[in-house]
Amino acid sequence: MVRVCNRALTDFCHNHLGIQIHHGPQSHALETERVESSSGPARTHPCLADLKPTIVGPRVEHKDEFTCKGGVDAGRLVNLARKGLYSTAKEMGGNVLLEEKSAHPLSLYQRRDQFKVTIHYSATVARSCWPDAQRPVEIEAAKGIKGLMTVIDRHPEF
């Protein structure tokens, strides 16, 4: 039965989401598979790209680990990680994020229908007369798993 469900999930991900899942050797241990997604090279939002910031600070990173059930809305999780990074930037005296980049590998736990998502978000902290975009760059590149996502656990790391 597990093989049938596993094959159905693989076919669905490949046909509808364009995600290729490779199956490892069968074992009685907890089976995991990984799906990688990234925003690509570091980018600044178009609304801030042509502006000269008044102060440019250091590059900072934020890491969030989520455990989800039922599906993965990667765009929403990336947005949560960005908000965590933005609050760190505000504590440092910045009001905008420049040269943003995110990476979010998904680990699929087949036996428990759970997904572990680790979001790595980095950006350069700066101060500008223009407001921050409040939206992750290349959010459209975030790959997820269709379904109703329930976040079971969250572990932010700064």
Side-chain angles (χ1 to χ4, degrees), residues 69-156:
K69 188 171 187 162
V72 175
D73 184 350
R76 185 171 301 256
L77 298 180
V78 169
N79 196 27
L80 288 171
R82 187 192 189 279
K83 286 182 181 189
L85 183 66
Y86 184 69
S87 67
T88 302
K90 284 177 62 176
E91 290 172 6
M92 296 172 68
N95 69 343
V96 294
L97 297 177
L98 306 175
E99 300 170 356
E100 300 177 48
K101 183 177 182 175
S102 69
H104 31 282
L106 280 68
S107 297
L108 300 107
Y109 293 85
Q110 294 297 323
R111 298 254 167 111
R112 290 191 272 166
D113 187 33
Q114 291 185 356
F115 310 99
K116 180 180 177 185
V117 184
T118 305
I119 310 283
H120 297 273
Y121 207 96
S122 62
T124 301
V125 176
R127 188 134 190 87
S128 174
C129 59
W130 287 93
D132 188 69
Q134 297 294 323
R135 186 171 186 272
V137 294
E138 297 298 322
I139 191 74
E140 300 80 21
K143 293 180 184 174
I145 305 294
K146 290 199 182 225
L148 182 60
M149 177 179 73
T150 303
V151 176
I152 298 169
D153 199 11
R154 179 182 183 184
H155 295 285

Side-chain angles (χ1 to χ4, degrees), residues 25-82:
Q26 298 292 328
S27 72
H28 296 290
L30 186 65
E31 296 177 19
T32 61
E33 298 172 359
R34 294 179 62 82
V35 176
E36 298 284 335
S37 184
S38 172
S39 66
R43 293 192 177 110
T44 299
H45 276 279
C47 64
L48 297 170
D50 296 332
L51 302 174
K52 294 279 186 196
T54 56
I55 299 172
V56 177
R59 185 151 188 88
V60 291
E61 284 190 28
H62 179 82
K63 178 180 167 185
D64 259 320
E65 288 186 0
F66 297 93
T67 303
C68 304
K69 188 171 187 162
V72 175
D73 184 350
R76 185 171 301 256
L77 298 180
V78 169
N79 196 27
L80 288 171
R82 187 192 189 279

